Amino acid sequence: MGAFVRPIAGLMSLLSITALQKSFRSPEGERKTIVDVPAFTLAAGQQLALRGESGSGKTTFLHLIAGILAADSGSIHIDGRDMAALGESGRDRLRAESIGYIFQTFNLLQGYSVLENVMLGMAFGAGSDQTRAAAMLDRVGLSHRLKHYPRQLSTGQQQRVAVARALANHPKLVLADEPTGNLDHKNARESLALIRETCRENGAALLLVSHDPGVLASFEAVQDFSALNRADQEAAR
Amino acid sequence: MKTIGLIILRSLRQHLLSTTITALSIALAGGLLMSVWVVKVQSQTTFTQVNTGFDAVLGARGSKLQLVLNAIFHLEASPGNLAYSDYEFIRRHPAVKLAIPIAVGDNLRGYRIVGTGPELFSDVEYVPGRKFTLATGTLFNPAAKEAVLGDFVARKLGLHAGDTFHPFHGLIYDEKNQHAESYLVTGILAPSNTPADKVIWIPLHGLQTMAGHDPRAATDVSAVLIQLRSPTAGFMLDMMYNKQGNRLTFAYPIGAIMAELFNKIGWFDQVLTLISYLVALVSAGGVLVAIYNSMAARRRDIAILRALGARRRTIFSAIVLEAAAIGLLGMIAAFAAYAVILTGVATVIRNQTGVLLNTWAYNPVMLWAPLGMIALCALGGLLPAWKAYRTDIAGNLAPVS
């Protein structure tokens, strides 16, 4: 059980969630609550790991924060704007402008070059900036791979592209969903360090979910998602 | 917009095979549509305007169309002969400005030998302001066994001034029916883009008296080409020959008679037009199917783009514009298909009639066919675009943990 970490007093919270609920209709027609988080906050620039087992609803939780899913009720304030109160295109815009997302499976666009992948991470927010994209790829050590395609890269390199993409748009908040789940031990360690360093350098807060004890151990602040989420864990997927 | 452009470009590339195949089917449809249209319009305008400088044709009793095709276009069989006195009569008629007799009935390896008088070359403007001129050599001597060749037939047969040939009897080439007479080529006409280009011109007398021709018909002519002093004269002569008389046919006006021909075969280009519309519709359907079928493969990319902040309407527009882009690529290629089809058709028409179609003359179809096809493709893109619009992001960003 991780300690419940409150934001450091005096720091304005970047992410502030209250009474957030999300339920889905099961194939049998029953409504099942997946996420029921009464309160959660994350300070600007803070790095926090959430411990959660598979099926605990942590991906749904991150999708709600990112506005990929619409909340049933509650509020998700990100940098002063309530994601839960926005319509879909408003959520798309807020996500494009303020949030970087790192996936376990990288989710790189296979038909696009490494540079284009990173530029697309900016395209829907402030707009593509090739210099910035190239600088981010240089930062993650891939300046020699700009014209390559994802399939030409190792998995470790692919995740580094995903990290560059997530941070290219100067997000205030980076969400990472099991970012090391598909990597071997060495790559996982390096990738995790890279995510944390680049978030720090760019002034982005990091909210990472994982069930990997090795990953969790490297964080100063860790929370148990099961302690946060009151939804019936049996029902959660 | 730049981003949508990139998305479309990459998507076209990722589905290169289906992009190419659908674009090619559009090229075929567009090329066919434009060709049918242009051939229809061009041949109609060309053939109703070609009269090689004459207003009317006088010939044996029969079909006016056959008379015009035979005397002006050098196609079809002659409906029969008329007596020299009939020619003399019309030549002296006060309403007639110029009357030139022609005689047909022989060929040289399939190309018609037509007997006529030298005034055809000295007095007739085949289009206003332009007379037949010789590219090389001199005109035939009306009393000698000499010939002047149209530019097209001279090139086809490889004959030059100074060469000789033996005519063949009949309008259809049969190597057994060669005449004994030998004709000397004295000149080659400059190209006129009229049926005259595919004719071997010899003196009228020569054809009339060719060995083996019926000596009793030695003064007969096949038809008389007529220039009138006024249009009203035409209607007067029409009344005289066709309504009151029953021995001869006076074909006037030539353009209207040719227009009648196009009305008669109008159903044919209606069918062709209908077919090309259907092909266009099917190929737009092909765009729909091609994109729709690739939706399963695209769903993940769409979900990723959405996760990066792309809005539903951005994705929707990208798919519709991609469909339109396939249409655009197809229609660019359609102009190549058009060029190939029309060159073929124009060659056939040129071989048959000596008339050259203006293949690249602007026709509104070259504007509305591409625009229509692109719009149709965009329309075909709506359904897959709607499917893309509805793509669930969370469900396609596997795995969920």
Side-chain angles (χ1 to χ4, degrees):
Chain A
M1 282 283 157
F4 193 87
V5 177
R6 299 215 158 269
I8 301 148
L11 273 182
M12 212 185 77
S13 65
L14 170 76
L15 172 66
S16 163
I17 290 171
T18 47
L20 179 64
Q21 286 195 322
K22 179 70 182 174
S23 61
F24 289 102
R25 197 175 288 282
S26 71
E28 293 80 37
E30 283 175 80
R31 230 171 216 295
K32 290 194 171 166
T33 302
I34 307 296
V35 170
D36 181 3
V37 175
F40 177 78
T41 54
L42 191 71
Q46 190 189 348
Q47 299 198 342
L48 174 71
L50 282 182
R51 177 191 292 119
E53 295 307 314
S54 274
S56 62
K58 53 189 164 57
T59 295
T60 303
F61 183 57
L62 292 189
H63 280 170
L64 287 167
I65 296 172
I68 288 171
L69 289 174
D72 294 343
S73 60
S75 68
I76 308 164
H77 281 97
I78 298 168
D79 200 23
R81 279 181 288 178
D82 185 1
M83 183 68 96
L86 292 171
E88 190 180 45
S89 69
R91 297 202 307 273
D92 292 338
R93 180 143 203 102
L94 183 53
R95 173 168 71 256
E97 285 171 353
S98 305
I99 295 172
Y101 210 118
I102 300 169
F103 306 88
Q104 176 180 346
T105 50
F106 324 137
N107 280 336
L108 297 179
L109 292 155
Q110 297 299 321
Y112 298 75
S113 73
V114 163
L115 185 66
E116 286 166 349
N117 261 281
V118 176
M119 284 171 71
L120 278 171
M122 300 184 261
F124 307 106
S128 295
D129 175 352
Q130 189 169 337
T131 318
R132 163 82 179 159
M136 280 313 296
L137 283 164
D138 185 36
R139 171 63 189 87
V140 301
L142 290 173
S143 54
H144 58 303
R145 296 273 197 227
L146 302 187
K147 301 278 180 211
H148 285 60
Y149 286 83
R151 63 177 178 278
Q152 299 171 305
L153 304 182
S154 69
T155 48
Q157 287 173 325
Q158 288 186 38
Q159 187 61 308
R160 274 142 71 187
V161 176
V163 171
R165 182 177 69 181
L167 282 153
N169 206 32
H170 302 283
K172 300 249 167 43
L173 173 63
V174 170
L175 304 172
D177 190 356
E178 298 279 10
T180 58
N182 278 20
L183 300 176
D184 61 36
H185 185 68
K186 178 172 170 284
N187 270 316
R189 214 178 49 229
E190 286 173 8
S191 180
L192 189 63
L194 183 68
I195 291 170
R196 297 196 64 180
E197 281 163 26
T198 49
C199 281
R200 208 170 290 131
E201 289 161 12
N202 287 276
L206 172 65
L207 179 60
L208 178 144
V209 298
S210 181
H211 69 277
D212 180 348
V215 171
L216 296 167
S218 72
F219 275 78
E220 299 75 30
V222 179
Q223 277 190 31
D224 248 315
F225 188 60
S226 57
L228 208 61
N229 189 10
R230 291 197 310 203
D232 177 7
Q233 293 307 297
E234 289 299 305
R237 45 175 192 160
Chain B
M1 208 57 221
K2 215 174 94 188
T3 307
I4 291 188
L6 178 71
I7 293 171
I8 293 166
L9 228 62
R10 288 293 171 268
S11 184
L12 288 175
R13 197 180 64 180
Q14 267 179 292
H15 308 99
L16 192 60
L17 186 66
S18 76
T19 299
T20 312
I21 289 170
T22 36
L24 281 180
S25 78
I26 288 162
L28 192 64
L32 204 60
L33 186 66
M34 291 194 291
S35 302
V36 167
W37 209 271
V38 169
V39 167
K40 181 172 83 177
V41 172
Q42 273 280 321
S43 55
Q44 207 152 346
T45 46
T46 309
F47 284 99
T48 51
Q49 276 164 14
V50 167
N51 53 26
T52 49
F54 295 97
D55 302 312
V57 180
L58 182 67
R61 195 66 172 181
S63 140
K64 290 178 182 176
L65 180 60
Q66 193 188 352
L67 196 54
V68 169
L69 288 176
N70 180 62
I72 302 287
F73 289 93
H74 306 291
L75 297 166
E76 298 281 316
S78 166
N81 287 348
L82 62 167
Y84 199 74
S85 55
D86 291 321
Y87 159 64
E88 287 286 304
F89 176 81
I90 190 106
R91 187 170 68 84
R92 298 210 178 91
H93 197 282
V96 173
K97 196 165 99 188
L98 181 68
I100 297 178
I102 59 163
V104 301
D106 287 321
N107 77 88
L108 178 57
R109 278 180 272 157
Y111 292 95
R112 285 189 185 204
I113 298 174
V114 178
T116 190
E119 60 269 34
L120 178 69
F121 306 98
S122 56
D123 297 357
V124 176
E125 295 184 346
Y126 63 89
V127 288
R130 238 188 278 168
K131 289 181 178 178
F132 292 109
T133 53
L134 285 154
T136 57
T138 56
L139 199 61
F140 55 69
N141 172 358
K145 289 190 181 355
E146 291 180 351
V148 163
L149 270 63
D151 168 73
F152 182 78
V153 64
R155 274 188 289 123
K156 283 286 171 184
L157 296 178
L159 287 173
H160 304 92
D163 293 345
T164 56
F165 63 88
H166 295 281
F168 291 82
H169 185 64
L171 292 179
I172 293 156
Y173 175 52
D174 180 348
E175 58 181 20
K176 293 194 290 286
N177 290 338
Q178 191 160 26
H179 286 298
E181 282 96 334
S182 172
Y183 273 78
L184 172 72
V185 178
T186 58
I188 311 291
L189 293 173
S192 64
N193 285 337
T194 68
D197 286 359
K198 53 155 200 161
V199 170
I200 296 155
W201 302 97
I202 65 169
L204 183 70
H205 183 68
L207 203 128
Q208 288 169 327
T209 58
M210 198 81 72
H213 287 188
D214 185 353
R216 282 168 302 175
T219 57
D220 284 2
V221 300
S222 302
V224 183
L225 308 173
I226 294 162
Q227 281 182 359
L228 298 165
R229 294 198 190 279
S230 73
T232 45
F235 294 109
M236 192 187 79
L237 290 171
D238 175 54
M239 182 65 84
M240 188 178 99
Y241 280 108
N242 300 330
K243 306 273 165 45
Q244 292 158 358
N246 60 2
R247 216 164 44 78
L248 300 173
T249 296
F250 183 75
Y252 172 86
I254 291 173
I257 290 163
M258 286 307 288
E260 228 172 89
L261 169 68
F262 283 98
N263 286 341
K264 273 184 203 156
I265 59 169
W267 63 270
F268 182 67
D269 54 49
Q270 274 174 23
V271 169
L272 277 183
T273 310
L274 192 68
I275 289 172
S276 37
Y277 279 146
L278 284 178
V279 176
L281 211 61
V282 168
S283 52
V287 174
L288 189 158
V289 171
I291 301 184
Y292 196 87
N293 281 347
S294 66
M295 280 321 285
R298 291 162 185 256
R299 214 170 282 144
R300 186 177 149 88
D301 274 15
I302 291 169
I304 295 170
L305 286 168
R306 293 289 320 276
L308 294 176
R311 274 168 249 190
R312 281 190 198 273
R313 62 167 183 268
T314 307
I315 301 295
F316 183 87
S317 318
I319 300 275
V320 172
L321 288 174
E322 182 182 336
I326 294 175
L328 178 70
L329 290 175
M331 286 315 291
I332 291 170
F335 279 95
Y338 167 83
V340 171
I341 296 173
L342 257 212
T343 307
V345 171
T347 307
V348 170
I349 291 179
R350 176 103 168 102
N351 285 346
Q352 294 296 317
T353 67
V355 176
L356 192 63
L357 294 188
N358 188 358
T359 28
W360 287 103
Y362 170 75
N363 184 301
V365 75
M366 295 176 181
L367 199 64
W368 68 252
L371 290 179
M373 197 68 228
I374 291 167
L376 208 60
C377 288
L379 211 63
L382 286 179
L383 186 68
W386 175 243
K387 204 171 156 123
Y389 184 89
R390 311 249 312 152
T391 298
D392 167 41
I393 319 177
N396 287 295
L397 286 176
V400 172
S401 59

